[in-house]
Amino acid sequence: MSPDELESLRAQLAPAQAAAAEQHRYVLRKGRRVVTTGRSRSLLSDADEVLLTVIYLRQVCPQKVLGDLLGMNPVTIGHGIKATRKLLDERKISITPTVVRYFTRAEDLRAWVTGSGPAEHTPATPTRQALTDPTLTGMSHEALHALLEELIVPYAATIEERRHRQRGGSRRPGTRGGVFRQKITDGDRILATILYRRRICGLDALAELFGVCKSTLWNAIRDVLPILDDHRIDIAPASHRHPTAADLLTSVSADNHQVVS
């Protein structure tokens, strides 16, 4: 979102944040304040908590990375995110996940923000970057990113609709449901499904490449396949099927070396 949109979101949540903070203090005091005192200073301001929640729900990085960046205990950040997420849920405000960028180290995120890291729209880890190679996906990086942007919102909506049916109603405010799993993002799920439909390698090798168990990846693929079909996305099979994850990565490395040469 733009800076103005972020500021608007902060302003929208500010009254509720203040009310929630006062209610929390009321519970801690076990009654009304007897003597008027200044408000105790928190490590995170209300605006900080909104910003961190947006970054977290965008699936940019886990709470530990945010803690490393700020030199702060992730538990403190987690409490702020949980409280802000509750307010977002109550107002039915959704934060759209990013595509494939997912940082697991503070230094990688800091390098990207300052412009000294990898190019925009490429994954944070070497393996993720390799998996977006055009020889594997059958499309350019620009076309892949455009496709991921097109599918990620309807995919998230489909998953939330299914969870709504399973719950028999809306998610209770403040619950953890809907918070992304940290090992594989929505963008990763779509990318994995593209590679699966390309028949670039077997499911075991694909699970190894994404760092998840086979059942987790298969569940993700089954969720994404109907989205591809609904949007009439034609994924052509690859001309070569790699027997192992190592063989696939070696092939990509060799192709890149030939291009450089």
Side-chain angles (χ1 to χ4, degrees), residues 76-98:
T76 300
I77 293 175
H79 288 160
I81 290 176
K82 179 179 180 181
T84 307
R85 177 65 186 274
K86 177 181 178 180
L87 300 180
L88 293 173
D89 287 346
E90 290 172 345
R91 287 154 183 76
K92 295 181 170 57
I93 298 173
S94 60
I95 304 298
T96 303
T98 188

Side-chain angles (χ1 to χ4, degrees), residues 159-260:
I159 297 304
E160 181 56 34
E161 181 181 352
R162 186 187 69 193
R163 290 171 179 164
H164 185 279
R165 290 196 304 268
Q166 292 172 341
R167 290 190 303 263
S170 300
R171 181 171 56 247
R172 289 178 297 175
T175 59
R176 188 172 173 79
V179 176
F180 68 93
R181 289 182 292 243
Q182 294 184 352
K183 284 192 175 180
I184 183 169
T185 67
D186 290 350
D188 286 337
R189 291 178 172 88
I190 298 172
L191 175 60
T193 305
I194 292 172
L195 297 175
Y196 174 79
R197 183 154 277 187
R198 286 269 293 164
R199 301 172 189 168
I200 202 74
C201 63
L203 192 61
D204 288 330
L206 208 53
E208 180 181 345
L209 289 165
F210 280 92
V212 296
C213 68
K214 183 177 176 180
S215 61
T216 295
L217 189 65
W218 177 236
N219 288 336
I221 291 173
R222 288 196 303 175
D223 285 336
V224 177
L225 283 175
I227 309 296
L228 292 177
D229 294 337
D230 289 344
H231 285 71
R232 299 182 179 179
I233 306 298
D234 184 26
I235 306 295
S239 58
H240 177 71
R241 184 180 177 89
H242 298 278
T244 66
D247 178 73
L248 182 149
L249 294 176
T250 300
S251 172
V252 172
S253 176
D255 289 340
N256 289 337
H257 179 72
Q258 291 175 4
V259 171
V260 173

